[in-house]
Amino acid sequence: MDVGYCKVSQVDSNKRMPNIKVFAGSSNTNLAKRICDRLGIELGKSTTKKFSNQETCVEIGESVRGEDVFIIQSGCGHINDNIMELLIMINACKIASAARVTAVIPVFPYARQDKKDKSRAPISAKLIANMLSVAGADHIITMDLHASQIQGFFDIPVDNLFAEPAVVKWIMDYIPEWKNAIIVSPDAGGAKRVTSIADRLNVDFALIHKERVRANEVQSMVLVGDVTDRVAILVDDMADTCGTFCLAAQKLNEAGAKKIYAICTHGIFSGNATTKINNSYFEAVVVTNTIPQEEKMKECPKIQLIDISMMLSEAIRRTHNGESVSYLFKNMPLI
């Protein structure tokens, strides 16, 4: 079993990290505050407002000249407004003579539109990459991209962090029978993610093959693997309408699984997803706080949260200090 942790030097709260400013967009301010608390710095002052014609206006409330600027904005909620807000913030800092501007995007927007899968389909993830570069971003930090190849859409450095170390730790801490678990991928695309976690826990893995009629609508499911009398843990990068997740849970229950959990990095939970989860076979659906979950957790007591602010704050600290970030791909920072 390979569970790695890295020692992180504590930041003296009375000392400001020199030459660094962290700003937050309006999509996930709680996560930004947690990151700043771990870094021992104040969140940068900025104001976002809308004009009467719905144009977005962002004002940076302090000097960024010569500073290393990090802007935290998730691709969730009112996605198009949040993208525009991020682009304006990047550009505002760039033309205010910031030394470097890094966009910290825990959830990359339009990540599912990463290829031309039918005639005249757009590759919107590439368009977002172009927009970020043109706005003036020098570096991107994101987490669990839907397709790793999206990094290749950029001509600037991209650090794609993984929630895997935090997921492995949660499984070991909160699932007492984890040694009798089987890690399940709800589709063929997540097989690599699932096998990596299964290897680290030294347990088996299974796969569900699904055939879609159209987007968000599944026709049939076939389970490959034996889950009889075992704890089944479904792992995916995002949960949107949760139709696939709940059908997969039903399939696992029919196949004899003793308990069923779901773990995903990005909990979008659109439409009536929380109702589906409440009526499902899941013991718990575990997501990270890349997307704010306070309201969803009130609607659905099965939703549980993994805090990944320590991973993002450590990535920011290492980037600012010119240290390697790759250590975080397999290790959990102890902050």
Side-chain angles (χ1 to χ4, degrees):
M1 169 178 45
D2 170 26
V3 181
Y5 301 93
C6 62
K7 274 284 186 186
V8 178
S9 56
Q10 292 290 330
V11 180
D12 185 347
S13 59
N14 296 320
K15 292 182 181 176
R16 173 180 166 276
M17 289 179 73
N19 214 41
I20 183 172
K21 290 279 175 73
V22 177
F23 295 95
S26 56
S27 65
N28 199 343
T29 50
N30 284 344
L31 177 61
K33 286 172 183 173
R34 282 175 175 266
I35 289 170
C36 287
D37 287 344
R38 292 181 182 277
L39 290 171
I41 61 176
E42 292 288 326
L43 186 63
K45 296 181 180 66
S46 63
T47 307
T48 304
K49 58 187 178 185
K50 280 188 177 292
F51 294 125
S52 56
N53 65 350
Q54 297 303 301
E55 284 183 2
T56 301
C57 175
V58 179
E59 294 175 6
I60 306 298
E62 54 191 271
S63 173
V64 294
R65 185 176 294 275
E67 301 276 16
D68 192 6
V69 174
F70 293 83
I71 301 171
I72 302 167
Q73 180 80 308
S74 273
C76 60
H78 300 288
I79 293 180
N80 295 332
D81 283 347
N82 290 337
I83 291 169
M84 200 64 212
E85 184 182 305
L86 173 60
L87 296 171
I88 293 170
M89 289 181 83
I90 292 169
N91 191 249
C93 290
K94 199 67 180 176
I95 62 177
S97 301
R100 178 176 64 175
V101 179
T102 301
V104 182
I105 312 172
V107 187
F108 194 85
Y110 290 88
R112 284 176 284 186
Q113 298 182 39
D114 62 322
K115 58 185 178 291
K116 191 168 182 177
D117 53 358
K118 55 180 179 284
S119 298
R120 297 173 296 282
I123 306 177
S124 304
K126 169 65 174 170
L127 175 62
I128 297 294
N130 290 343
M131 290 163 68
L132 288 165
S133 298
V134 170
D138 300 299
H139 182 206
I140 305 292
I141 297 175
T142 187
M143 179 165 273
D144 273 344
L145 282 170
H146 188 64
S148 296
Q149 297 89 328
I150 291 174
Q151 294 171 88
F153 292 167
F154 291 89
D155 292 322
I156 56 176
V158 178
D159 286 316
N160 180 29
L161 304 176
F162 302 114
E164 182 184 301
V167 169
V168 170
K169 184 176 186 300
W170 190 92
I171 290 171
M172 294 176 66
D173 288 348
Y174 294 98
I175 302 180
E177 303 156 288
W178 65 267
K179 290 182 180 177
N180 186 40
I182 183 165
I183 313 298
V184 185
S185 174
D187 55 34
K192 186 178 178 183
R193 183 183 301 107
V194 161
T195 52
S196 178
I197 293 173
D199 288 346
R200 292 184 67 171
L201 292 170
N202 197 24
V203 297
D204 293 335
F205 71 92
L207 182 71
I208 291 176
H209 173 67
K210 64 186 178 186
E211 293 178 359
R212 287 188 183 275
V213 185
R214 57 185 70 86
N216 294 330
E217 191 175 330
V218 178
Q219 185 178 33
S220 65
M221 287 188 158
V222 180
L223 175 64
V224 182
D226 182 19
V227 299
T228 309
D229 293 328
R230 303 176 80 173
V231 176
I233 305 172
L234 274 165
V235 177
D236 206 356
D237 65 320
M238 63 173 66
D240 190 352
T241 60
C242 290
T244 303
F245 256 9
C246 293
L247 280 173
Q250 184 179 333
K251 191 76 179 176
L252 291 168
N253 182 67
E254 291 168 359
K258 188 161 60 172
K259 287 183 180 177
I260 305 166
Y261 293 84
I263 303 178
C264 64
T265 308
H266 311 302
I268 301 167
F269 301 136
S270 58
N272 63 342
T274 51
T275 306
K276 290 178 185 174
I277 294 169
N278 281 329
N279 298 328
S280 70
Y281 291 98
F282 289 120
E283 298 287 321
V285 175
V286 185
V287 296
T288 70
N289 57 344
T290 55
I291 297 172
Q293 299 295 349
E294 290 79 12
E295 292 303 315
K296 300 296 182 183
M297 290 174 78
K298 290 175 187 173
E299 297 173 15
C300 180
K302 289 186 179 183
I303 296 174
Q304 297 184 26
L305 210 60
I306 297 175
D307 182 20
I308 46 83
S309 61
M310 77 287 286
M311 300 194 76
L312 291 170
S313 62
E314 180 63 3
I316 289 172
R317 188 192 70 78
R318 286 171 175 259
T319 301
H320 175 64
N321 292 333
E323 300 172 21
S324 173
V325 175
S326 61
Y327 197 64
L328 294 174
F329 296 164
K330 289 289 181 184
N331 300 278
M332 188 74 174
L334 291 174
I335 303 183

